[in-house]
């Protein structure tokens, strides 16, 4: 083959490659993806998704049409309480948007409006039911205090027995806590019951909630003890089984679902488990380097040394790993299932400035 022939063949190959590239659909750009990957919608509300950075036909599908439907053009309509995943498929690539649908139904319009606002601000489409329950638990405790002064005076106002006390007045007693919890769970489509019984011998109310197919006790009131402390969150009565609750609660066990499941499977809600004490300092140092000021350490109760674990020594070791000093710290811990959970607030100071 002479030089001219080789040049012509090379030209044909280049042209073939050029047109072959043109024939391939435009794929991923730097900004490819759905306009939303998580949505929280009220029943009846609509939202249209856009798939950016692609060309050609996109097909949409809902994992649960009773919760949310989607048209061929990406318009989502919220149908019923619960969670669904909307998938968008384009040129063989699948993109997802997780949708949480709620429906607040309550006679007091101010309470209903506040509950809707809380859900929109705190509940994300991708949350599991357990995470939603924890989010509502934390919100109630952080934004309400037990109405202890009224209790002592035996002059508890009616609002303290209802969600109006929690959401509007920010003061409530156990019935208000329990009814508010049920309001939120009902709105989110999470099975929930109110339990009426006694706590330490006195009349008391709390909740049962279902996660998956398992029931758990949830006593938000007793996780928010008096005196109220801003920023304090406790989980001693968060998603626990009958035997744990029965230590200081009493109820008609034949009237409610059995709660036999350990909460160990839910430990990931609080962070990553550190398997042994020897790794604790490096775990805390890593959390601090990642910008966390409130550190969490989770240890199995069976871990060697966990029962006599010295947090002060651990924090000093963590500071040393960072080339710093442990200036001041406070911590609390509790047992959750088969784990110790340590919540630590600490200040690490550069060694040189601390020494000066």
């Amino acid at each position: 083959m002479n030089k001219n022939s080789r040049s012509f063949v090379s030209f044909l190959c280049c042209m073939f490659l050029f047109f072959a590239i043109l024939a391939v659909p435009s794929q991923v750009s730097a900004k490819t993806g759905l306009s939303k990957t998580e949505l929280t919608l009220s029943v009846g509300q609509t939202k249209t998704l856009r798939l950016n950075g692609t060309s050609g036909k996109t097909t949409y599908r809902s994992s649960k049409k009773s919760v949310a439907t989607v048209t061929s053009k990406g318009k989502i309509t919220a149908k019923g309480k619960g969670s669904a995943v909307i998938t968008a498929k384009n040129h063989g690539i699948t993109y997802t948007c997780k949708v949480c649908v709620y429906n607040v139904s309550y006679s007091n319009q101010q309470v209903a409006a506040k509950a809707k606002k809380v859900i929109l601000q705190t509940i994300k489409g991708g949350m599991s039911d357990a995470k939603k329950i924890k989010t509502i638990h934390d919100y109630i405790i952080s934004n309400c205090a037990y109405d202890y002064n009224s209790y002592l005076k035996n002059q508890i106002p009616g609002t303290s027995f209802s969600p109006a006390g929690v959401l509007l007045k920010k003061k409530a007693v156990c019935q208000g806590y329990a009814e508010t919890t049920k309001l939120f769970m009902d709105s989110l489509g999470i099975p929930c019951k109110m339990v009426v019984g006694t706590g330490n011998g006195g009349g008391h109310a709390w909740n049962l909630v279902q996660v998956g197919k398992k029931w758990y006790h949830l006593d938000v009131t007793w996780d928010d003890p008096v005196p109220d402390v801003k920023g304090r969150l406790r989980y001693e009565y968060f998603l626990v089984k009958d035997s744990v609750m029965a230590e200081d609660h009493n109820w008609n066990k034949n009237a409610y679902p059995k709660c036999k499941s350990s909460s160990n499977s839910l430990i990931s809600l609080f962070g990553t488990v550190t398997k042994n004490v020897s790794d604790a300092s490096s775990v805390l140092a890593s959390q601090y380097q990642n910008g966390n000021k409130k550190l969490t350490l989770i240890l199995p109760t069976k871990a060697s040394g966990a029962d006599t674990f010295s947090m002060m020594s651990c924090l000093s070791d963590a500071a040393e790993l960072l080339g710093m000093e442990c200036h001041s710290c406070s911590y609390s811990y509790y047992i959750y299932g088969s784990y110790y959970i340590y919540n630590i607030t600490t200040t690490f100071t550069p060694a040189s400035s601390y020494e000066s």
Side-chain angles (χ1 to χ4, degrees):
M1 184 179 292
N2 59 37
K3 183 177 180 181
N4 290 336
S5 297
R6 286 198 301 270
S7 298
F8 181 69
V9 170
S10 297
F11 171 76
L12 287 178
C13 290
C14 290
M15 291 302 293
F16 176 80
L17 180 61
F18 174 74
F19 285 110
I21 291 172
L22 288 180
V24 176
S26 175
Q27 293 287 322
V28 177
S29 74
K31 296 182 179 180
T32 297
L34 285 171
S35 53
K36 294 285 184 181
T37 57
E38 289 188 340
L39 283 173
T40 302
L41 302 174
S42 179
V43 170
Q45 193 174 357
T46 62
K47 183 74 176 182
T48 300
L49 291 177
R50 299 184 309 277
L51 184 57
N52 303 313
T54 63
S55 63
K57 184 179 179 180
T58 299
T59 57
Y60 292 91
R61 179 179 175 275
S62 170
S63 66
K64 199 168 185 179
K65 293 180 180 179
S66 61
V67 173
T69 59
V70 62
T71 69
S72 59
K73 294 185 178 180
K75 182 180 179 181
I76 300 171
T77 301
K79 293 289 188 178
K81 294 176 288 187
S83 299
V85 177
I86 304 299
T87 56
K89 195 169 185 178
N90 182 286
H91 298 311
I93 302 175
T94 299
Y95 307 86
T96 61
C97 175
K98 297 176 181 178
V99 180
C100 172
V101 178
Y102 69 93
N103 185 30
V104 177
S105 178
Y106 197 74
S107 58
N108 185 318
Q109 294 305 304
Q110 281 185 291
V111 170
K114 181 64 177 180
K116 289 179 181 179
K117 184 177 181 180
V118 171
I119 290 173
L120 281 173
Q121 290 178 339
T122 64
I123 302 298
K124 308 302 179 185
M127 286 182 174
S128 65
D129 282 353
K131 180 65 173 177
K132 291 173 187 174
I133 294 168
K134 181 177 180 293
T135 300
I136 295 302
H137 167 280
D138 294 356
Y139 175 85
I140 293 174
I141 290 174
S142 299
N143 292 276
C144 182
Y146 190 83
D147 197 356
Y148 192 56
N149 289 334
S150 297
Y151 170 79
L152 291 177
K153 296 174 183 177
N154 198 25
Q155 296 177 346
I156 302 173
T159 53
S160 290
F161 292 95
S162 73
V166 174
L167 296 176
L168 304 180
K169 302 296 184 181
K170 299 189 176 184
K171 293 281 186 181
V173 292
C174 62
Q175 183 177 333
Y177 280 81
E179 287 195 4
T180 305
T181 299
K182 192 172 191 314
L183 169 61
F184 278 114
M185 296 303 109
D186 289 348
S187 300
L188 294 167
I190 298 173
C192 178
K193 297 179 182 291
M194 266 189 66
V195 183
V196 178
T198 61
N200 283 337
H204 190 45
W206 64 96
N207 300 95
L208 293 179
V209 289
Q210 191 176 41
V211 179
K213 296 182 179 180
K214 299 175 181 178
W215 285 92
Y216 298 89
H217 290 271
L218 175 66
D219 191 341
V220 183
T221 310
W222 278 27
D223 274 347
D224 191 19
V226 292
D228 190 65
V229 176
K230 186 177 180 180
R232 178 178 63 184
L233 291 170
R234 296 182 9 162
Y235 300 95
E236 283 87 342
Y237 300 95
F238 176 78
L239 303 184
V240 296
K241 59 185 178 179
D242 285 342
S243 59
V244 173
M245 212 64 176
E247 293 178 7
D248 41 31
H249 291 62
N250 189 42
W251 66 100
N252 181 357
K253 297 176 180 60
N254 294 323
Y256 301 97
K258 305 297 181 186
C259 304
K260 297 181 179 180
S261 299
S262 168
S263 52
N264 286 340
S265 62
L266 304 169
I267 193 65
S268 61
L269 290 170
F270 302 96
T272 303
V273 175
T274 302
K275 294 182 179 180
N276 53 64
V277 172
S278 61
D279 291 339
S281 299
S282 58
V283 168
L284 293 178
S286 177
Q287 288 185 31
Y288 191 86
Q289 283 180 317
N290 289 332
N292 298 323
K293 301 304 180 185
K294 292 186 176 181
L295 312 180
T296 301
L297 185 66
I298 305 173
L299 287 167
T301 54
K302 292 183 178 180
S304 177
D307 54 340
T308 57
F309 185 60
S310 172
M311 184 56 64
M312 295 302 297
S313 175
C314 176
L315 286 169
S316 295
D317 292 343
E320 186 175 348
L321 288 172
L322 296 165
M324 305 177 85
E325 296 281 354
C326 183
H327 188 192
S328 62
C329 70
S330 61
Y331 68 89
S332 61
Y333 79 94
Y334 51 90
I335 295 175
Y336 188 75
S338 300
Y339 298 92
Y340 288 111
I341 299 180
Y342 291 85
N343 290 322
I344 308 130
T345 301
T346 187
T347 300
F348 289 149
T349 306
S352 58
S353 64
Y354 181 71
E355 289 170 359
S356 61

